[in-house]
Amino acid sequence: MLRNPLLRAWGLLIGLCLASTLVALAVERTSFAGLAATGAGATILLLAWLKARIILSEYLGLAAAPFWRRGFEIVLALYALLLLGLYTIPVL
Amino acid sequence: MSETVETPHPLEQLPGDLMMWVLIVSELLVFGAGLAAFLAVRIGDPAGFAAAQDHLHRAAAGLNTVVLVTSGLLAALAVRAREADKRLRTRCLLAGASVLGLVFLVIKGMEYADKAAAGIGVETHPFFTFYYLLTGFHAAHVLAGVIILGLVGWKDSPRSVEVGAAFWHMVDLVWVLLFPVIYLLR
């Protein structure tokens, strides 16, 4: 386990980047369509939200400011939901 | 006798410079609006957007994400090094972050050259209008960030290093939202 929180955050970010790219490549190379493709898209947005949270919390230091971290996380979650809504409208 | 523990005012809890946070929030709002507009326009032509997206090189953009996230790590470590008064280490870490920023720009330049060679421009499809607008505006921020990291490496007070690194993390943060929406969502 990495003891330095910055190195741990970096490792998580790299893992999440790889995961989202792999999901996108899987969609591209298989015949994902309809709900399966939308589920993959929602997963990619979820991973993006997690990455943004890590950068705010660890790189930008909001982990030490719980009031601001909560505020940013709420706004970020609402924004991710907006993106998810706009993304899923064409398949409804 | 009871002791009262004073909790700091929320504004005092905010790490770094307040004006840098104002800049970070305003930049996030601009890019956030751009990405939301991109997905809103996509509603009218999801198949056309998917076909246009197939011209992008996802693996290169994924590599660029790794480059930028690693650069962000170096900038964050530089802040810790400066707090510990390790000035040479701070400058080396900032230089490393800047070099990775330049690597990002080189990969981005190759991507643009590839599109230009294929005859793909701003007016080819609405997808590419947003693609050039958002990734170009972000690349301009990366260039500005490289210059800022150079400046704070030169004038390396702890406050300057912290503010410069915060700008760099904002660039990082925008990219981790922009990359999946433009390059990955089908």
Side-chain angles (χ1 to χ4, degrees), chain A residues 4 6-7 10 13-14 17 20-21 24 27-28 41 44 48 52 55-56 58-62 65-68 72 79 83 86-87 89-90, chain B residues 10-11 13-15 21 25 32 35-36 39 42-43 46 58 65-66 69-70 72-73 76-77 80 166 169 172-173 176 179-180 184-186:
Chain A
N4 186 330
L6 288 175
L7 290 175
W10 174 79
L13 285 169
I14 297 295
C17 290
S20 53
T21 306
V27 173
E28 185 185 341
I44 288 168
I55 289 176
L56 280 168
E58 301 301 332
Y59 279 13
L60 277 163
L62 288 186
F67 174 84
W68 292 101
F72 271 90
Y79 179 67
L83 293 185
L86 290 169
Y87 170 68
I89 284 175
Chain B
L11 274 180
Q13 288 179 17
L14 197 60
W21 281 99
V25 169
L35 289 174
L39 286 178
R42 175 184 169 274
I43 291 170
R58 293 186 182 90
T65 309
V66 172
V69 161
T70 305
L73 169 68
L77 289 172
R80 303 294 185 278
H169 297 320
D172 216 354
L173 180 58
V176 300
F179 164 63
L184 302 183
L185 280 186
R186 301 280 297 168

Short mmCIF file of all heavy atoms in Angstrom, two decimals, chain A residues 4 6-7 10 13-14 17 20-21 24 27-28 41 44 48 52 55-56 58-62 65-68 72 79 83 86-87 89-90, chain B residues 10-11 13-15 21 25 32 35-36 39 42-43 46 58 65-66 69-70 72-73 76-77 80 166 169 172-173 176 179-180 184-186:
data_model
loop_
_atom_site.label_atom_id
_atom_site.label_comp_id
_atom_site.label_asym_id
_atom_site.label_seq_id
_atom_site.Cartn_x
_atom_site.Cartn_y
_atom_site.Cartn_z
N ASN A 4 1.93 7.55 1.06
CA ASN A 4 1.74 8.95 0.70
C ASN A 4 0.38 9.14 0.01
O ASN A 4 0.12 8.52 -1.02
CB ASN A 4 2.88 9.36 -0.25
CG ASN A 4 2.86 10.84 -0.55
OD1 ASN A 4 1.79 11.47 -0.55
ND2 ASN A 4 4.02 11.40 -0.80
N LEU A 6 -0.77 11.44 -1.78
CA LEU A 6 -0.67 11.95 -3.16
C LEU A 6 -0.36 10.82 -4.13
O LEU A 6 -0.93 10.74 -5.23
CB LEU A 6 0.42 13.03 -3.25
CG LEU A 6 0.07 14.37 -2.61
CD1 LEU A 6 1.28 15.31 -2.68
CD2 LEU A 6 -1.13 15.01 -3.30
N LEU A 7 0.55 9.92 -3.73
CA LEU A 7 0.88 8.78 -4.60
C LEU A 7 -0.31 7.84 -4.72
O LEU A 7 -0.58 7.28 -5.79
CB LEU A 7 2.10 8.03 -4.05
CG LEU A 7 3.44 8.77 -4.17
CD1 LEU A 7 4.55 7.97 -3.49
CD2 LEU A 7 3.80 9.02 -5.63
N TRP A 10 -2.70 9.40 -7.12
CA TRP A 10 -2.19 9.23 -8.49
C TRP A 10 -2.47 7.82 -8.99
O TRP A 10 -2.94 7.63 -10.13
CB TRP A 10 -0.68 9.54 -8.52
CG TRP A 10 -0.04 9.26 -9.84
CD1 TRP A 10 -0.08 10.05 -10.95
CD2 TRP A 10 0.72 8.10 -10.20
NE1 TRP A 10 0.62 9.47 -11.98
CE2 TRP A 10 1.12 8.26 -11.54
CE3 TRP A 10 1.11 6.95 -9.52
CZ2 TRP A 10 1.88 7.31 -12.22
CZ3 TRP A 10 1.86 6.01 -10.19
CH2 TRP A 10 2.24 6.19 -11.52
N LEU A 13 -6.08 7.51 -9.79
CA LEU A 13 -6.42 8.24 -11.02
C LEU A 13 -5.99 7.46 -12.27
O LEU A 13 -6.74 7.36 -13.25
CB LEU A 13 -5.74 9.62 -11.01
CG LEU A 13 -6.37 10.66 -10.09
CD1 LEU A 13 -5.46 11.88 -9.95
CD2 LEU A 13 -7.73 11.08 -10.60
N ILE A 14 -4.78 6.89 -12.22
CA ILE A 14 -4.30 6.10 -13.36
C ILE A 14 -5.22 4.90 -13.58
O ILE A 14 -5.62 4.57 -14.71
CB ILE A 14 -2.84 5.63 -13.14
CG1 ILE A 14 -1.89 6.84 -13.05
CG2 ILE A 14 -2.39 4.67 -14.24
CD1 ILE A 14 -1.76 7.66 -14.31
N CYS A 17 -8.47 6.06 -15.09
CA CYS A 17 -8.28 6.44 -16.51
C CYS A 17 -8.24 5.19 -17.38
O CYS A 17 -8.87 5.14 -18.45
CB CYS A 17 -6.98 7.22 -16.70
SG CYS A 17 -7.02 8.85 -15.98
N SER A 20 -11.76 3.61 -17.66
CA SER A 20 -12.70 4.29 -18.57
C SER A 20 -12.30 4.09 -20.03
O SER A 20 -13.16 3.90 -20.90
CB SER A 20 -12.83 5.78 -18.22
OG SER A 20 -11.58 6.40 -18.17
N THR A 21 -10.98 4.08 -20.31
CA THR A 21 -10.54 3.85 -21.69
C THR A 21 -10.88 2.43 -22.12
O THR A 21 -11.33 2.20 -23.26
CB THR A 21 -9.02 4.09 -21.82
OG1 THR A 21 -8.72 5.40 -21.33
CG2 THR A 21 -8.55 4.00 -23.26
N ALA A 24 -14.54 2.18 -22.96
CA ALA A 24 -14.82 2.80 -24.27
C ALA A 24 -14.34 1.91 -25.41
O ALA A 24 -15.04 1.76 -26.43
CB ALA A 24 -14.15 4.17 -24.34
N VAL A 27 -16.72 -0.93 -25.95
CA VAL A 27 -17.92 -0.50 -26.68
C VAL A 27 -17.62 -0.40 -28.17
O VAL A 27 -18.42 -0.81 -29.03
CB VAL A 27 -18.43 0.86 -26.15
CG1 VAL A 27 -19.57 1.40 -27.00
CG2 VAL A 27 -18.87 0.74 -24.70
N GLU A 28 -16.42 0.12 -28.48
CA GLU A 28 -16.03 0.32 -29.89
C GLU A 28 -15.85 -1.02 -30.61
O GLU A 28 -16.25 -1.17 -31.76
CB GLU A 28 -14.72 1.12 -29.91
CG GLU A 28 -14.26 1.52 -31.30
CD GLU A 28 -12.90 2.20 -31.27
OE1 GLU A 28 -12.48 2.67 -30.20
OE2 GLU A 28 -12.25 2.24 -32.33
N GLY A 41 -21.67 4.09 -21.12
CA GLY A 41 -21.50 5.54 -21.05
C GLY A 41 -21.69 6.07 -19.64
O GLY A 41 -20.92 6.92 -19.17
N ILE A 44 -18.65 5.35 -17.68
CA ILE A 44 -17.56 6.28 -18.01
C ILE A 44 -17.76 7.62 -17.27
O ILE A 44 -16.82 8.20 -16.75
CB ILE A 44 -17.48 6.49 -19.54
CG1 ILE A 44 -16.92 5.22 -20.21
CG2 ILE A 44 -16.63 7.70 -19.90
CD1 ILE A 44 -17.06 5.18 -21.71
N ALA A 48 -15.44 9.37 -14.40
CA ALA A 48 -14.98 10.76 -14.52
C ALA A 48 -15.28 11.54 -13.24
O ALA A 48 -14.46 12.33 -12.76
CB ALA A 48 -15.65 11.43 -15.72
N ALA A 52 -12.56 13.36 -10.79
CA ALA A 52 -12.66 14.79 -10.41
C ALA A 52 -12.65 14.95 -8.90
O ALA A 52 -12.01 15.85 -8.35
CB ALA A 52 -13.92 15.39 -11.02
N ILE A 55 -9.07 14.57 -7.56
CA ILE A 55 -8.23 15.75 -7.83
C ILE A 55 -8.59 16.88 -6.87
O ILE A 55 -7.71 17.54 -6.30
CB ILE A 55 -8.38 16.19 -9.30
CG1 ILE A 55 -7.69 15.15 -10.20
CG2 ILE A 55 -7.76 17.57 -9.53
CD1 ILE A 55 -7.85 15.40 -11.68
N LEU A 56 -9.88 17.11 -6.67
CA LEU A 56 -10.31 18.17 -5.74
C LEU A 56 -9.84 17.88 -4.32
O LEU A 56 -9.32 18.76 -3.63
CB LEU A 56 -11.84 18.28 -5.75
CG LEU A 56 -12.45 19.06 -6.91
CD1 LEU A 56 -13.95 18.84 -6.96
CD2 LEU A 56 -12.14 20.55 -6.80
N GLU A 58 -7.47 15.52 -3.08
CA GLU A 58 -6.06 15.28 -2.77
C GLU A 58 -5.12 16.28 -3.43
O GLU A 58 -4.28 16.86 -2.77
CB GLU A 58 -5.67 13.85 -3.18
CG GLU A 58 -6.49 12.77 -2.50
CD GLU A 58 -6.39 12.80 -0.98
OE1 GLU A 58 -5.37 13.24 -0.45
OE2 GLU A 58 -7.37 12.40 -0.32
N TYR A 59 -5.24 16.48 -4.75
CA TYR A 59 -4.32 17.40 -5.43
C TYR A 59 -4.58 18.85 -5.00
O TYR A 59 -3.65 19.60 -4.74
CB TYR A 59 -4.47 17.28 -6.95
CG TYR A 59 -3.76 16.12 -7.61
CD1 TYR A 59 -3.23 15.06 -6.86
CD2 TYR A 59 -3.61 16.05 -8.99
CE1 TYR A 59 -2.58 14.00 -7.47
CE2 TYR A 59 -2.97 15.00 -9.61
CZ TYR A 59 -2.46 13.97 -8.86
OH TYR A 59 -1.82 12.94 -9.47
N LEU A 60 -5.85 19.24 -4.97
CA LEU A 60 -6.18 20.62 -4.61
C LEU A 60 -6.34 20.82 -3.10
O LEU A 60 -6.59 21.94 -2.65
CB LEU A 60 -7.44 21.08 -5.35
CG LEU A 60 -7.17 21.57 -6.79
CD1 LEU A 60 -8.45 21.60 -7.60
CD2 LEU A 60 -6.52 22.93 -6.80
N GLY A 61 -6.23 19.75 -2.34
CA GLY A 61 -6.15 19.86 -0.88
C GLY A 61 -7.46 20.06 -0.15
O GLY A 61 -7.47 20.44 1.02
N LEU A 62 -8.60 19.80 -0.81
CA LEU A 62 -9.88 20.01 -0.13
C LEU A 62 -10.14 18.95 0.95
O LEU A 62 -11.07 19.11 1.74
CB LEU A 62 -11.04 20.03 -1.12
CG LEU A 62 -11.14 21.28 -2.01
CD1 LEU A 62 -12.41 21.25 -2.84
CD2 LEU A 62 -11.12 22.55 -1.16
N ALA A 65 -10.31 20.51 4.11
CA ALA A 65 -11.36 21.53 4.28
C ALA A 65 -12.72 20.88 4.01
O ALA A 65 -13.30 21.05 2.93
CB ALA A 65 -11.12 22.69 3.32
N PRO A 66 -13.23 20.11 5.01
CA PRO A 66 -14.45 19.31 4.77
C PRO A 66 -15.65 20.12 4.30
O PRO A 66 -16.42 19.66 3.46
CB PRO A 66 -14.75 18.70 6.15
CG PRO A 66 -13.50 18.84 6.92
CD PRO A 66 -12.72 19.97 6.36
N PHE A 67 -15.80 21.36 4.78
CA PHE A 67 -16.92 22.21 4.37
C PHE A 67 -16.89 22.43 2.86
O PHE A 67 -17.90 22.24 2.15
CB PHE A 67 -16.84 23.54 5.12
CG PHE A 67 -17.86 24.56 4.68
CD1 PHE A 67 -19.15 24.54 5.20
CD2 PHE A 67 -17.53 25.54 3.75
CE1 PHE A 67 -20.09 25.48 4.80
CE2 PHE A 67 -18.46 26.48 3.34
CZ PHE A 67 -19.74 26.45 3.86
N TRP A 68 -15.74 22.81 2.35
CA TRP A 68 -15.61 23.09 0.91
C TRP A 68 -15.65 21.82 0.08
O TRP A 68 -16.17 21.81 -1.03
CB TRP A 68 -14.31 23.86 0.65
CG TRP A 68 -14.37 25.23 1.24
CD1 TRP A 68 -13.82 25.66 2.41
CD2 TRP A 68 -15.10 26.35 0.71
NE1 TRP A 68 -14.14 26.96 2.63
CE2 TRP A 68 -14.92 27.43 1.62
CE3 TRP A 68 -15.87 26.55 -0.43
CZ2 TRP A 68 -15.48 28.68 1.40
CZ3 TRP A 68 -16.43 27.81 -0.64
CH2 TRP A 68 -16.24 28.84 0.27
N PHE A 72 -18.20 21.30 -3.01
CA PHE A 72 -17.74 20.97 -4.37
C PHE A 72 -18.29 19.62 -4.82
O PHE A 72 -18.66 19.44 -5.98
CB PHE A 72 -16.21 20.98 -4.42
CG PHE A 72 -15.62 22.32 -4.75
CD1 PHE A 72 -15.29 23.22 -3.74
CD2 PHE A 72 -15.40 22.71 -6.06
CE1 PHE A 72 -14.76 24.47 -4.03
CE2 PHE A 72 -14.87 23.96 -6.37
CZ PHE A 72 -14.54 24.84 -5.34
N TYR A 79 -23.75 18.17 -11.41
CA TYR A 79 -23.29 18.39 -12.79
C TYR A 79 -23.15 17.05 -13.53
O TYR A 79 -23.55 16.93 -14.69
CB TYR A 79 -21.95 19.14 -12.78
CG TYR A 79 -21.39 19.37 -14.16
CD1 TYR A 79 -22.04 20.22 -15.05
CD2 TYR A 79 -20.24 18.72 -14.59
CE1 TYR A 79 -21.55 20.41 -16.33
CE2 TYR A 79 -19.74 18.91 -15.86
CZ TYR A 79 -20.39 19.76 -16.72
OH TYR A 79 -19.92 19.94 -18.00
N LEU A 83 -24.99 15.86 -16.99
CA LEU A 83 -24.34 15.25 -18.16
C LEU A 83 -24.96 13.89 -18.47
O LEU A 83 -25.21 13.56 -19.64
CB LEU A 83 -22.83 15.10 -17.92
CG LEU A 83 -22.00 16.38 -17.81
CD1 LEU A 83 -20.52 16.04 -17.70
CD2 LEU A 83 -22.21 17.30 -19.00
N LEU A 86 -28.33 14.43 -20.17
CA LEU A 86 -28.18 14.86 -21.57
C LEU A 86 -27.70 13.69 -22.43
O LEU A 86 -28.10 13.56 -23.59
CB LEU A 86 -27.18 16.03 -21.66
CG LEU A 86 -27.66 17.36 -21.09
CD1 LEU A 86 -26.48 18.34 -20.98
CD2 LEU A 86 -28.76 17.95 -21.96
N TYR A 87 -26.84 12.85 -21.86
CA TYR A 87 -26.30 11.72 -22.60
C TYR A 87 -27.38 10.66 -22.88
O TYR A 87 -27.39 10.05 -23.96
CB TYR A 87 -25.13 11.11 -21.81
CG TYR A 87 -24.64 9.80 -22.36
CD1 TYR A 87 -24.00 9.74 -23.60
CD2 TYR A 87 -24.82 8.62 -21.65
CE1 TYR A 87 -23.56 8.54 -24.12
CE2 TYR A 87 -24.37 7.41 -22.16
CZ TYR A 87 -23.76 7.38 -23.39
OH TYR A 87 -23.33 6.18 -23.91
N ILE A 89 -30.74 11.08 -23.03
CA ILE A 89 -31.95 11.53 -23.74
C ILE A 89 -32.13 10.85 -25.11
O ILE A 89 -33.24 10.37 -25.42
CB ILE A 89 -31.97 13.08 -23.87
CG1 ILE A 89 -32.34 13.70 -22.53
CG2 ILE A 89 -32.97 13.54 -24.95
CD1 ILE A 89 -32.26 15.22 -22.50
N PRO A 90 -31.08 10.73 -25.95
CA PRO A 90 -31.30 10.12 -27.28
C PRO A 90 -31.81 8.68 -27.24
O PRO A 90 -32.42 8.22 -28.20
CB PRO A 90 -29.91 10.19 -27.94
CG PRO A 90 -29.22 11.30 -27.24
CD PRO A 90 -29.72 11.26 -25.84
N PRO B 10 -15.13 29.04 7.52
CA PRO B 10 -14.98 28.27 6.28
C PRO B 10 -13.99 28.89 5.28
O PRO B 10 -13.23 28.17 4.64
CB PRO B 10 -16.39 28.25 5.71
CG PRO B 10 -17.28 28.32 6.90
CD PRO B 10 -16.55 29.17 7.90
N LEU B 11 -13.99 30.22 5.18
CA LEU B 11 -13.08 30.85 4.23
C LEU B 11 -11.62 30.63 4.61
O LEU B 11 -10.73 30.56 3.77
CB LEU B 11 -13.35 32.36 4.14
CG LEU B 11 -14.44 32.80 3.14
CD1 LEU B 11 -14.59 34.30 3.16
CD2 LEU B 11 -14.14 32.31 1.73
N GLN B 13 -10.61 27.90 6.04
CA GLN B 13 -10.29 26.47 5.80
C GLN B 13 -9.81 26.23 4.37
O GLN B 13 -9.11 25.26 4.10
CB GLN B 13 -11.54 25.62 6.00
CG GLN B 13 -11.98 25.46 7.43
CD GLN B 13 -13.23 24.61 7.51
OE1 GLN B 13 -13.60 23.89 6.58
NE2 GLN B 13 -13.92 24.69 8.62
N LEU B 14 -10.23 27.12 3.45
CA LEU B 14 -9.95 26.91 2.03
C LEU B 14 -8.44 26.91 1.80
O LEU B 14 -7.76 27.89 2.14
CB LEU B 14 -10.61 28.02 1.22
CG LEU B 14 -10.78 27.79 -0.27
CD1 LEU B 14 -11.65 26.57 -0.55
CD2 LEU B 14 -11.40 29.02 -0.92
N PRO B 15 -7.89 25.80 1.24
CA PRO B 15 -6.45 25.79 1.04
C PRO B 15 -6.03 26.75 -0.07
O PRO B 15 -6.73 26.91 -1.07
CB PRO B 15 -6.16 24.33 0.63
CG PRO B 15 -7.46 23.79 0.16
CD PRO B 15 -8.55 24.58 0.81
N TRP B 21 -9.13 30.21 -6.23
CA TRP B 21 -10.35 29.39 -6.21
C TRP B 21 -11.45 30.05 -7.04
O TRP B 21 -12.24 29.36 -7.69
CB TRP B 21 -10.81 29.13 -4.77
CG TRP B 21 -10.01 28.04 -4.13
CD1 TRP B 21 -8.95 28.17 -3.29
CD2 TRP B 21 -10.16 26.64 -4.36
NE1 TRP B 21 -8.45 26.95 -2.96
CE2 TRP B 21 -9.17 25.98 -3.60
CE3 TRP B 21 -11.04 25.87 -5.12
CZ2 TRP B 21 -9.03 24.59 -3.58
CZ3 TRP B 21 -10.90 24.47 -5.11
CH2 TRP B 21 -9.91 23.86 -4.35
N VAL B 25 -13.15 28.08 -10.09
CA VAL B 25 -14.60 27.91 -10.24
C VAL B 25 -15.09 28.51 -11.56
O VAL B 25 -15.89 27.91 -12.28
CB VAL B 25 -15.34 28.52 -9.02
CG1 VAL B 25 -16.84 28.57 -9.28
CG2 VAL B 25 -15.07 27.70 -7.77
N GLY B 32 -17.58 23.58 -18.08
CA GLY B 32 -18.78 22.80 -17.77
C GLY B 32 -19.92 23.14 -18.71
O GLY B 32 -20.61 22.25 -19.22
N LEU B 35 -19.18 21.61 -22.17
CA LEU B 35 -19.42 20.16 -22.25
C LEU B 35 -20.92 19.85 -22.24
O LEU B 35 -21.38 18.95 -22.96
CB LEU B 35 -18.72 19.44 -21.10
CG LEU B 35 -17.20 19.38 -21.20
CD1 LEU B 35 -16.60 18.77 -19.94
CD2 LEU B 35 -16.76 18.59 -22.43
N ALA B 36 -21.67 20.61 -21.45
CA ALA B 36 -23.13 20.41 -21.42
C ALA B 36 -23.73 20.78 -22.79
O ALA B 36 -24.61 20.08 -23.30
CB ALA B 36 -23.75 21.25 -20.31
N LEU B 39 -23.12 17.94 -25.26
CA LEU B 39 -24.06 16.82 -25.13
C LEU B 39 -25.48 17.22 -25.54
O LEU B 39 -26.24 16.38 -26.05
CB LEU B 39 -24.04 16.28 -23.70
CG LEU B 39 -22.80 15.47 -23.32
CD1 LEU B 39 -22.85 15.04 -21.86
CD2 LEU B 39 -22.63 14.25 -24.22
N ARG B 42 -25.55 17.06 -29.26
CA ARG B 42 -25.47 15.64 -29.64
C ARG B 42 -26.85 14.99 -29.67
O ARG B 42 -27.07 14.02 -30.44
CB ARG B 42 -24.56 14.91 -28.65
CG ARG B 42 -24.47 13.41 -28.83
CD ARG B 42 -23.60 12.79 -27.73
NE ARG B 42 -23.70 11.34 -27.73
CZ ARG B 42 -24.65 10.66 -27.08
NH1 ARG B 42 -25.59 11.31 -26.40
NH2 ARG B 42 -24.67 9.33 -27.14
N ILE B 43 -27.79 15.48 -28.85
CA ILE B 43 -29.13 14.88 -28.79
C ILE B 43 -29.77 14.83 -30.18
O ILE B 43 -30.44 13.85 -30.53
CB ILE B 43 -30.03 15.69 -27.82
CG1 ILE B 43 -29.54 15.51 -26.38
CG2 ILE B 43 -31.50 15.26 -27.92
CD1 ILE B 43 -30.19 16.45 -25.37
N PRO B 46 -27.06 11.79 -32.55
CA PRO B 46 -26.12 10.91 -31.83
C PRO B 46 -25.29 10.03 -32.78
O PRO B 46 -24.10 9.80 -32.51
CB PRO B 46 -27.02 10.06 -30.94
CG PRO B 46 -28.40 10.23 -31.45
CD PRO B 46 -28.46 11.53 -32.17
N ARG B 58 -8.43 7.47 -29.46
CA ARG B 58 -8.74 7.37 -28.03
C ARG B 58 -7.51 6.99 -27.20
O ARG B 58 -7.32 7.48 -26.10
CB ARG B 58 -9.85 6.35 -27.81
CG ARG B 58 -11.17 6.81 -28.38
CD ARG B 58 -12.29 5.85 -28.03
NE ARG B 58 -13.52 6.30 -28.64
CZ ARG B 58 -13.93 5.95 -29.86
NH1 ARG B 58 -13.22 5.12 -30.59
NH2 ARG B 58 -15.06 6.43 -30.35
N THR B 65 -3.95 11.65 -20.86
CA THR B 65 -4.55 11.73 -19.52
C THR B 65 -3.53 11.28 -18.47
O THR B 65 -3.37 11.93 -17.43
CB THR B 65 -5.82 10.86 -19.44
OG1 THR B 65 -6.66 11.20 -20.52
CG2 THR B 65 -6.56 11.08 -18.13
N VAL B 66 -2.85 10.16 -18.77
CA VAL B 66 -1.82 9.66 -17.85
C VAL B 66 -0.72 10.71 -17.68
O VAL B 66 -0.25 10.97 -16.56
CB VAL B 66 -1.24 8.32 -18.38
CG1 VAL B 66 -0.03 7.89 -17.55
CG2 VAL B 66 -2.31 7.23 -18.36
N VAL B 69 -2.15 13.68 -15.53
CA VAL B 69 -2.38 13.28 -14.13
C VAL B 69 -1.02 13.13 -13.41
O VAL B 69 -0.88 13.51 -12.25
CB VAL B 69 -3.19 11.97 -14.11
CG1 VAL B 69 -3.07 11.27 -12.77
CG2 VAL B 69 -4.66 12.25 -14.41
N THR B 70 -0.03 12.58 -14.11
CA THR B 70 1.31 12.42 -13.52
C THR B 70 1.96 13.79 -13.30
O THR B 70 2.61 14.03 -12.27
CB THR B 70 2.19 11.54 -14.43
OG1 THR B 70 1.50 10.32 -14.67
CG2 THR B 70 3.54 11.27 -13.80
N GLY B 72 0.33 16.47 -12.68
CA GLY B 72 -0.36 17.01 -11.49
C GLY B 72 0.24 16.48 -10.20
O GLY B 72 0.38 17.22 -9.22
N LEU B 73 0.61 15.19 -10.22
CA LEU B 73 1.26 14.61 -9.03
C LEU B 73 2.56 15.35 -8.72
O LEU B 73 2.82 15.70 -7.56
CB LEU B 73 1.55 13.11 -9.27
CG LEU B 73 2.44 12.45 -8.22
CD1 LEU B 73 1.72 12.35 -6.88
CD2 LEU B 73 2.89 11.07 -8.68
N ALA B 76 1.85 18.68 -7.20
CA ALA B 76 1.40 18.55 -5.80
C ALA B 76 2.59 18.22 -4.89
O ALA B 76 2.69 18.75 -3.77
CB ALA B 76 0.34 17.46 -5.70
N LEU B 77 3.49 17.36 -5.36
CA LEU B 77 4.69 17.03 -4.56
C LEU B 77 5.59 18.25 -4.42
O LEU B 77 6.26 18.42 -3.39
CB LEU B 77 5.46 15.87 -5.23
CG LEU B 77 4.79 14.49 -5.16
CD1 LEU B 77 5.55 13.48 -6.02
CD2 LEU B 77 4.70 13.99 -3.71
N ARG B 80 4.47 20.28 -1.46
CA ARG B 80 4.93 19.66 -0.20
C ARG B 80 6.42 19.92 0.01
O ARG B 80 6.86 20.21 1.12
CB ARG B 80 4.68 18.14 -0.20
CG ARG B 80 3.24 17.71 -0.42
CD ARG B 80 2.32 18.12 0.71
NE ARG B 80 0.98 17.58 0.51
CZ ARG B 80 0.05 18.12 -0.26
NH1 ARG B 80 0.32 19.23 -0.94
NH2 ARG B 80 -1.15 17.58 -0.37
N ALA B 166 -2.07 25.01 -7.97
CA ALA B 166 -3.54 24.98 -7.98
C ALA B 166 -4.06 25.23 -9.41
O ALA B 166 -5.01 24.58 -9.86
CB ALA B 166 -4.10 26.02 -7.01
N HIS B 169 -3.63 22.07 -11.31
CA HIS B 169 -4.62 21.05 -10.95
C HIS B 169 -5.98 21.36 -11.58
O HIS B 169 -6.73 20.45 -11.93
CB HIS B 169 -4.77 20.94 -9.43
CG HIS B 169 -3.52 20.50 -8.74
ND1 HIS B 169 -2.69 19.53 -9.27
CD2 HIS B 169 -2.93 20.91 -7.59
CE1 HIS B 169 -1.66 19.36 -8.46
NE2 HIS B 169 -1.78 20.18 -7.45
N ASP B 172 -5.82 20.04 -14.96
CA ASP B 172 -5.94 18.60 -14.81
C ASP B 172 -7.42 18.18 -14.63
O ASP B 172 -7.92 17.26 -15.27
CB ASP B 172 -5.17 18.23 -13.53
CG ASP B 172 -4.45 16.92 -13.63
OD1 ASP B 172 -4.63 16.24 -14.64
OD2 ASP B 172 -3.72 16.59 -12.69
N LEU B 173 -8.08 18.91 -13.73
CA LEU B 173 -9.48 18.62 -13.40
C LEU B 173 -10.38 18.78 -14.63
O LEU B 173 -11.25 17.94 -14.90
CB LEU B 173 -9.93 19.57 -12.28
CG LEU B 173 -11.35 19.48 -11.76
CD1 LEU B 173 -11.64 18.09 -11.25
CD2 LEU B 173 -11.57 20.49 -10.64
N VAL B 176 -9.90 15.74 -17.01
CA VAL B 176 -10.52 14.45 -16.62
C VAL B 176 -12.04 14.47 -16.85
O VAL B 176 -12.67 13.41 -16.89
CB VAL B 176 -10.20 13.99 -15.18
CG1 VAL B 176 -8.70 13.80 -14.98
CG2 VAL B 176 -10.79 14.87 -14.13
N PHE B 179 -12.05 14.76 -21.32
CA PHE B 179 -11.60 13.55 -22.03
C PHE B 179 -12.71 12.51 -22.20
O PHE B 179 -12.99 12.09 -23.33
CB PHE B 179 -10.37 12.98 -21.30
CG PHE B 179 -10.02 11.56 -21.66
CD1 PHE B 179 -9.64 11.22 -22.94
CD2 PHE B 179 -10.04 10.57 -20.69
CE1 PHE B 179 -9.32 9.90 -23.27
CE2 PHE B 179 -9.72 9.26 -21.00
CZ PHE B 179 -9.36 8.92 -22.29
N PRO B 180 -13.39 12.09 -21.12
CA PRO B 180 -14.43 11.07 -21.34
C PRO B 180 -15.62 11.56 -22.17
O PRO B 180 -16.14 10.80 -22.98
CB PRO B 180 -14.88 10.70 -19.92
CG PRO B 180 -14.41 11.78 -19.05
CD PRO B 180 -13.22 12.39 -19.69
N LEU B 184 -14.73 9.52 -25.28
CA LEU B 184 -15.15 8.16 -24.91
C LEU B 184 -16.65 7.89 -25.00
O LEU B 184 -17.06 6.77 -25.33
CB LEU B 184 -14.67 7.83 -23.48
CG LEU B 184 -13.15 7.92 -23.23
CD1 LEU B 184 -12.84 7.51 -21.80
CD2 LEU B 184 -12.37 7.06 -24.21
N LEU B 185 -17.47 8.87 -24.67
CA LEU B 185 -18.92 8.61 -24.65
C LEU B 185 -19.44 8.34 -26.05
O LEU B 185 -19.25 9.15 -26.96
CB LEU B 185 -19.67 9.81 -24.06
CG LEU B 185 -19.71 9.95 -22.54
CD1 LEU B 185 -20.61 11.11 -22.17
CD2 LEU B 185 -20.19 8.68 -21.88
N ARG B 186 -20.13 7.21 -26.24
CA ARG B 186 -20.66 6.86 -27.56
C ARG B 186 -22.15 7.14 -27.63
O ARG B 186 -22.86 6.90 -26.71
CB ARG B 186 -20.43 5.37 -27.82
CG ARG B 186 -18.99 4.98 -27.77
CD ARG B 186 -18.27 5.31 -29.01
NE ARG B 186 -18.82 4.56 -30.14
CZ ARG B 186 -18.52 4.81 -31.42
NH1 ARG B 186 -17.73 5.80 -31.72
NH2 ARG B 186 -19.04 4.08 -32.38
#
